[in-house]
Amino acid sequence: MRKFVVNDSVVADESTAYVIAEIGHNHQGNLDTARDMFLCAKDCGVDAVKLQKRDNQTLFCKSLYNAPYNSENAYGATYGEHREALEFGESEFNVLVPYAAELGLDFACTAFDVPSADFLGMVGTSVIKIASCDLVNTPLLRHVARMGKPMVVSTGGCSLDDVVRAYDTIMPLNANFCILQCTAAYPCEAQDMNLRVIETYLKRFPDIVIGLSDHQNGISLAMVAFALGARVFEKHFTLNRAMRGTDHAFSIEPTGMRKLVRDLKRAEQALGSADKHCLPMEEKPLLKMRKKIVAARNLSVGTVLTEADLALKCPGDGLMPYMLDSVLGKTLTHVLVEDEALTLEMLK
């Protein structure tokens, strides 16, 4: 049986959705904002919050790190200054990791490089995420897998061969990971989500929980993903979409996150049982609306029943309409008045 375990949460095909609020750098480099976002995410009902971690000076080539950054979302004059302004270090993580635990939230974080992965192991994050861009980074996959922490692996912009290679790299070292269908577009249009890939993953990886990294502007398609078998959901989260930063515009605000969590729980409940049967709450309305076989007019003993002798009328507390063919041609042994229910005991 496939399962994904994070602290006290066990995610499997039969379980409810596990929802990760991807905060990323939407905290704008402000510790107080991050704390507010954790608390708000908890109020929305998510299972985990997620940040991102980069070792910027070793991750980027000097030409990119020192390049001028003129975006309206810039937090520095160069790209490196911008990234450093948004980056949390040990002091911030040492506040946020125990704060998440205090709130009852799992703490996930994306590691974009080996030093960042080692840092996350040191500060005690619950889950390490591999971003879509690093699905082909087998050295990083291997390094994180050996750490033994639960892993979430996104697959945007990749082929099935890339996903299989990543699976084959991680699985021998750490079986406690999940794979997320993802389209690496920000935002992602509905027609580009390819949610049927979830079914492909479920068949190709029968021992791994499958989920969705959802970049679409909305929440409804997550329910489709759940019905297809996804159980881990990552959704970008912000306090206000108008805040400065590249990710806010395609993130959902607290109202949306609250509805997403609510609707995913409803989706699990609505799937219900594959056994088709009449439910107790259906009995009363169906009794009133269904029909039974009754006399269409006054009928005497010895009448050989024809369709003209019988009618189908509510309520349905007698012989069901599907029995009509079996009573035609039978002889009445009792008098029937108009609208009186026919019974099998009246026939020979």
Side-chain angles (χ1 to χ4, degrees):
M1 180 186 77
R2 68 180 97 231
K3 66 178 181 178
F4 177 60
V5 181
V6 183
N7 293 325
D8 295 331
S9 296
V10 180
V11 187
D13 289 342
E14 300 77 19
S15 66
T16 190
Y18 182 90
V19 181
I20 303 169
E22 160 65 312
I23 292 169
H25 285 133
N26 282 350
H27 51 68
Q28 301 178 312
N30 186 292
L31 179 59
D32 289 336
T33 300
R35 286 171 56 90
D36 290 344
M37 295 184 79
F38 279 29
L39 182 60
C40 189
K42 171 64 176 180
D43 182 62
C44 291
V46 307
D47 300 283
V49 288
K50 189 174 86 65
L51 301 182
Q52 299 175 6
K53 183 59 183 168
R54 296 170 176 84
D55 188 60
N56 293 302
Q57 297 203 34
T58 61
L59 177 62
F60 300 110
C61 293
K62 289 183 175 62
S63 58
L64 178 57
Y65 188 89
N66 294 321
Y69 194 54
N70 299 317
S71 167
E72 61 182 7
N73 294 310
Y75 283 83
T78 65
Y79 188 68
E81 289 178 3
H82 165 76
R83 292 250 57 107
E84 298 291 4
L86 296 173
E87 200 69 48
F88 280 164
E90 186 173 353
S91 61
E92 291 88 359
F93 273 83
N94 283 341
V95 171
L96 293 173
V97 170
Y99 184 58
E102 177 186 330
L103 294 174
L105 294 170
D106 296 328
F107 192 115
C109 192
T110 302
F112 283 89
D113 46 73
V114 169
S116 294
D118 290 341
F119 172 86
L120 297 178
M122 177 189 70
V123 297
T125 56
S126 305
V127 180
I128 296 183
K129 165 79 184 292
I130 300 296
S132 293
C133 60
D134 282 314
L135 189 77
V136 295
N137 187 347
T138 50
L140 179 61
L141 296 178
R142 194 176 296 115
H143 184 84
V144 174
R146 285 174 175 150
M147 295 172 66
K149 285 183 174 291
M151 296 174 64
V152 175
V153 181
S154 271
T155 61
C158 299
S159 68
L160 184 58
D161 286 345
D162 292 328
V163 183
V164 171
R165 184 191 310 109
Y167 171 90
D168 290 342
T169 300
I170 299 169
M171 191 65 180
L173 303 171
N174 182 359
N176 191 22
F177 69 101
C178 66
I179 294 174
L180 307 186
Q181 162 58 359
C182 175
T183 300
Y186 311 91
C188 174
E189 299 300 324
Q191 64 267 24
D192 297 321
M193 292 185 72
N194 293 326
L195 294 180
R196 289 196 183 278
V197 172
I198 292 166
E199 296 178 308
T200 299
Y201 286 171
L202 288 168
K203 292 175 184 176
R204 183 61 182 78
F205 310 112
D207 46 2
I208 295 298
V209 168
I210 304 303
L212 175 69
S213 181
D214 184 1
H215 299 151
Q216 193 251 346
N217 274 332
I219 63 173
S220 60
L221 297 183
M223 312 313 133
V224 179
F226 186 91
L228 290 172
R231 290 297 178 268
V232 175
F233 292 82
E234 178 188 74
K235 190 74 170 176
H236 284 256
F237 180 59
T238 182
L239 297 178
N240 186 335
R241 293 178 68 173
M243 293 170 70
R244 184 158 60 103
T246 55
D247 290 359
H248 293 284
F250 64 89
S251 301
I252 57 173
E253 295 175 339
T255 298
M257 184 63 81
R258 197 171 291 112
K259 290 180 178 179
L260 174 67
V261 173
R262 177 201 67 189
D263 290 351
L264 282 170
K265 289 181 179 178
R266 286 178 176 174
E268 186 233 348
Q269 295 164 350
L271 286 179
S273 170
D275 177 28
K276 180 59 180 174
H277 59 277
C278 181
L279 301 174
M281 75 286 297
E282 297 178 297
E283 294 174 0
K284 185 176 180 179
L286 284 177
L287 176 64
K288 183 178 180 180
M289 294 185 291
R290 276 182 173 164
K291 289 83 176 172
K292 63 176 178 282
I293 303 173
V294 301
R297 56 177 178 268
N298 294 336
L299 300 173
S300 59
V301 173
T303 300
V304 178
L305 295 174
T306 66
E307 287 192 30
D309 297 320
L310 301 173
L312 304 176
K313 295 187 178 183
C314 304
D317 55 352
L319 295 182
M320 293 290 178
Y322 63 75
M323 298 188 68
L324 181 62
D325 290 345
S326 67
V327 301
L328 293 177
K330 297 290 180 68
T331 302
L332 274 180
T333 59
H334 291 66
V335 172
L336 272 182
V337 299
E338 184 178 353
D339 283 352
E340 185 177 354
L342 180 70
T343 68
L344 293 177
E345 290 74 22
M346 298 175 177
L347 303 174
K348 68 174 181 179

